[in-house]
């Protein structure tokens, strides 16, 4: 294993970097093999794999964090395991035992420990578990074999210039169907989002916001992230819908809002016509943790929340506490942190 990693941690972005080892396990004849670490980052699969033709695949994203004392920890990987198994069930793929999922992540972090960025850089080691249907299949039916893999790469902090508000535009496009796969982390959802994102970016926005596909009146997701807002009477509000991906970051923020900031929390409909109820807003997910929302363009008007240039005090505090927990500077709720 090479220990010489010539990386300028301050210049890392969210881009692929080949690290030394990844984990691979094969499901065949009704069971998983023991799994192993591999150096080769290329997969060889059948041209008839269901992942290529019928979208039978899913993935996850989580991070390993270096703490002030040099130790490494994972943040709630059990929740990623549960969410991946929800995706697997939806697409008729085999379940991955929670302990196998977490062990795979641990093995990959340990084998690539020298790629975990130092504490204080804001950078982390991003892990990408995924499962694909493989084997020789041509009919529309579940695959006969599956590959479960976890690879990793160091990534920089999402906000190079510090936490800063971004503007978004409400899209006419749908990212998921009402009874479809919106609540699962499957590739088709992201393929459907590429064109609307391009249109939003061309108009000068960070990304687009999707409304509910049935009525086009309620906010669902912000790009590939979950939405939350802080009302003028200090309630933490986040949308609820079966076609929203259940963000582990969002549910962590819900607990932080309740238990650390003593805010009332409600999961309920968020009407696009009622943006004025919020004094602050944000999008949340693994990559950025929180993206503060400066304004939302809807019906040719830009609704500004706290400010287009300054982050609101509650969003700033939510970000500080969550990052503090992830990097080991703030005491975590029981069961959130897994020491590598």
């Amino acid at each position: 294993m090479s220990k010489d990693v010539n990386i300028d941690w301050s210049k890392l972005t969210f881009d692929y970097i080949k690290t030394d080892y990844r984990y691979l396990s094969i499901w065949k004849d009704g069971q998983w093999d023991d799994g192993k670490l591999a150096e080769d980052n290329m997969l060889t699969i059948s041209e008839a794999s269901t992942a290529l033709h019928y979208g039978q695949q899913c993935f996850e994203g989580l991070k390993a964090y270096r703490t002030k004392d040099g130790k490494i920890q994972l943040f709630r990987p059990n929740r990623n395991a549960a969410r991946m198994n929800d995706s697997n069930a939806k697409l008729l793929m085999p379940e991955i035992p929670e302990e196998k999922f977490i062990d795979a992540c641990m093995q990959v972090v340990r084998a690539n420990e020298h790629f975990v960025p130092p504490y204080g850089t804001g950078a982390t080691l991003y892990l990408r578990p995924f499962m694909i249907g493989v084997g020789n299949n041509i009919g529309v039916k579940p695959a006969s074999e599956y590959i479960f893999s976890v690879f990793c790469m160091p990534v920089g902090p999402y906000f190079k210039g510090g936490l800063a508000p971004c503007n978004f535009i409400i899209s006419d496009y749908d990212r998921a169907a009402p009874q479809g796969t919106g609540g699962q982390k499957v590739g088709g959802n992201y393929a459907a989002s590429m064109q609307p994102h391009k249109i939003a970016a061309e108009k000068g926005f960070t990304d687009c916001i999707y409304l509910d596909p049935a009525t086009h009146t309620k906010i669902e997701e912000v790009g590939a992230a979950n939405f939350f807002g802080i009302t003028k009477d200090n309630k933490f509000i986040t949308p609820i819908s079966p076609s929203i991906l259940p963000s582990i970051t969002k549910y962590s923020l819900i607990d932080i809002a309740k238990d650390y900031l003593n805010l009332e929390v409600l999961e309920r409909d968020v009407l696009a016509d009622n943006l004025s109820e919020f004094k602050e807003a944000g999008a949340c997910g693994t990559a950025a943790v929180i993206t503060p929302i400066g304004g939302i363009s809807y019906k040719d008007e830009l609704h500004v929340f706290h400010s287009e240039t300054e982050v609101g005090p509650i969003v700033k505090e939510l970000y500080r506490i969550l990052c503090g927990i992830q990097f080991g500077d703030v005491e975590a709720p029981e069961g959130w942190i897994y020491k590598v």
Side-chain angles (χ1 to χ4, degrees), residues 2-245:
S2 167
K3 293 290 182 186
D4 300 320
V5 177
N6 186 23
I7 292 175
D8 185 342
W9 304 110
S10 67
K11 291 187 177 166
L12 280 173
T13 56
F14 197 81
D15 284 318
Y16 179 81
I17 293 173
K18 182 180 183 289
T19 51
D20 290 344
Y21 292 94
R22 63 275 313 129
Y23 174 94
L24 288 163
S25 185
I26 309 296
W27 187 91
K28 192 174 181 181
D29 299 325
Q31 62 184 15
W32 289 106
D33 68 8
D34 291 337
K36 63 180 181 181
L37 293 173
E39 294 185 59
D40 189 359
N41 69 334
M42 295 292 163
L43 293 175
T44 300
I45 62 173
S46 168
E47 62 190 354
S49 294
T50 58
L52 299 177
H53 300 275
Y54 307 127
Q56 201 187 22
Q57 59 83 253
C58 67
F59 68 99
E60 278 298 320
L62 65 158
K63 290 176 176 176
Y65 304 82
R66 178 88 65 179
T67 60
K68 193 179 284 184
D69 59 4
K71 294 187 168 66
I72 301 170
Q73 59 189 35
L74 296 175
F75 179 73
R76 310 191 80 179
N78 57 320
R79 294 294 296 260
N80 292 94
R83 189 170 66 179
M84 189 168 210
N85 278 325
D86 182 62
S87 298
N88 291 337
K90 185 79 170 183
L91 299 190
L92 301 184
M93 299 198 293
E95 180 180 355
I96 303 167
E98 180 183 297
E99 60 272 18
K100 184 180 181 74
F101 180 98
I102 294 173
D103 176 63
C105 293
M106 293 280 192
Q107 285 192 49
V108 168
V109 175
R110 289 190 194 108
N112 296 289
E113 181 182 347
H114 45 295
F115 284 99
V116 182
Y119 173 84
T121 60
T124 53
L125 188 76
Y126 180 80
L127 279 73
R128 171 56 62 86
F130 68 94
M131 195 196 293
I132 56 174
V134 296
N136 296 315
N137 317 269
I138 203 60
V140 183
K141 62 182 186 224
S144 54
E145 299 174 27
Y146 296 87
I147 294 173
F148 168 58
S149 180
V150 182
F151 65 93
C152 69
M153 73 216 74
V155 297
Y158 195 84
F159 301 106
K160 285 298 181 190
L163 199 63
C166 300
N167 288 346
F168 296 84
I169 184 169
I170 288 181
S171 178
D172 295 328
Y173 288 84
D174 294 329
R175 65 171 280 279
Q179 301 296 325
T181 58
Q184 286 73 41
K185 201 166 177 67
V186 298
N189 298 345
Y190 295 83
S193 74
M194 289 183 185
Q195 186 185 32
H197 169 76
K198 180 172 181 283
I199 292 167
E202 286 170 349
K203 291 179 178 177
F205 294 93
T206 299
D207 207 337
C208 59
I209 290 178
Y210 298 100
L211 301 180
D212 70 294
T215 72
H216 276 221
T217 60
K218 297 174 280 193
I219 286 180
E220 289 212 334
E221 291 208 358
V222 184
N226 279 193
F227 176 89
F228 70 90
I230 309 298
T231 62
K232 288 166 181 169
D233 57 352
N234 286 337
K235 292 185 176 75
F236 180 106
I237 309 294
T238 187
I240 189 163
S241 161
S243 52
I244 295 175
L245 181 74

Side-chain angles (χ1 to χ4, degrees), residues 297-302:
S297 178
Y298 182 50
K299 295 180 178 176
D300 297 323
E301 284 186 28
L302 183 69

Side-chain angles (χ1 to χ4, degrees), residues 288-330:
V289 186
I290 293 175
T291 303
I293 299 176
I296 293 175
S297 178
Y298 182 50
K299 295 180 178 176
D300 297 323
E301 284 186 28
L302 183 69
H303 177 88
V304 176
F305 297 98
H306 179 77
S307 164
E308 287 186 78
T309 55
E310 300 291 326
V311 181
I314 294 177
V315 167
K316 195 181 290 184
E317 189 65 358
L318 288 166
Y319 182 83
R320 183 192 70 79
I321 294 169
L322 181 54
C323 287
I325 290 169
Q326 292 171 332
F327 283 102
D329 298 325
V330 173

